[in-house]
């Protein structure tokens, strides 16, 4: 039996309320990459969403204050990488401000359309950006899948309660 929520304990809308609520929501972990003028850029995203099967579209969010935003705002293509539970450190590297995201031990290569493609992921996609939609202090990027490889081995990495975790049986 589920307890009835006590509506007397509600909080008014705020950034903290939204963050606290979404810490309770387990999400898959992806890394988004692009080619920038000064070299490759990338960031960890938990906002990846499948939008449409025909045509194949996906979306992700990125803050306009993020170090990767200037490159993503100009890029024609992005790489989307679904991480496995063995990639907690990679997820943390791409989430950490100021980290050398493409230095050792990150294994990657230049892929189609010049997009950085990470090695050993569960799946990777190269996508053409078709829209950037203003959404508060973020942009929702809409991208059409052009090609990829969904055959990586392993189980997905999840983000929950502020940390990276694997699935439990």
């Amino acid at each position: 039996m589920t307890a009835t929520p006590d509506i007397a304990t509600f909080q008014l809308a705020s950034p903290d309320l939204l963050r606290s609520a979404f810490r309770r929501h387990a999400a898959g972990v992806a890394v988004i990459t692009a080619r920038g003028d000064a070299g490759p850029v990338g960031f960890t995203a938990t906002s990846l969403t499948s939008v449409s099967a025909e045509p194949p579209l996906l979306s992700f969010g990125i803050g306009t204050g993020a170090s990767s935003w200037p490159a993503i705002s100009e890029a024609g293509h992005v790489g989307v990488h679904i991480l496995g539970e063995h990639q907690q450190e990679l997820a943390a590297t791409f989430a950490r401000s100021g980290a050398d995201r493409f230095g050792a031990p990150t294994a990657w290569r230049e892929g189609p359309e010049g997009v950085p493609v990470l090695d050993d992921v569960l799946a990777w996609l190269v996508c053409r950006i078709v829209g950037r939609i203003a959404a508060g202090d973020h942009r929702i990027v809409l991208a059409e899948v052009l090609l990829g490889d969904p055959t990586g081995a392993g189980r997905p990495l999840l983000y929950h309660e502020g940390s990276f975790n694997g699935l439990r049986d």
Side-chain angles (χ1 to χ4, degrees):
M1 185 169 177
T2 310
T4 303
D6 180 358
I7 61 170
T9 63
F10 71 89
Q11 297 176 30
L12 293 176
S14 70
D16 285 339
L17 172 61
L18 186 65
R19 285 186 201 101
S20 294
F22 271 86
R23 280 188 194 103
R24 309 286 301 205
H25 175 69
V29 181
V31 168
I32 310 299
T33 61
R35 180 176 57 192
D37 290 339
V41 300
F43 65 97
T44 299
T46 56
S47 60
L48 182 65
T49 304
S50 171
V51 174
S52 167
E54 191 57 46
L57 297 172
L58 59 79
S59 69
F60 60 86
I62 180 172
T64 56
S67 61
S68 295
W69 171 242
I72 299 290
S73 73
E74 299 290 328
H77 296 85
V78 292
V80 176
H81 307 83
I82 310 296
L83 300 191
E85 62 187 2
H86 62 287
Q87 296 178 302
Q88 291 183 17
E89 188 53 43
L90 182 68
T93 297
F94 275 84
R96 195 169 25 253
S97 180
D100 180 5
R101 296 173 177 156
F102 291 90
T106 301
W108 65 282
R109 63 195 178 286
E110 185 173 313
E113 303 296 339
V115 171
V117 174
L118 302 176
D119 291 349
D120 200 29
V121 296
L122 298 186
W124 62 266
L125 303 165
V126 171
C127 306
R128 181 177 59 87
I129 295 177
V130 296
R132 295 173 184 89
I133 301 141
D137 62 355
H138 278 61
R139 294 297 178 268
I140 298 169
V141 178
L142 187 63
E144 181 178 12
V145 177
L146 301 178
L147 56 94
D149 181 359
T151 62
R155 294 165 47 106
L157 182 62
L158 300 177
Y159 186 74
H160 181 250
E161 292 287 345
S163 64
F164 299 111
N165 301 282
L167 286 175
R168 292 190 183 96
D169 292 326

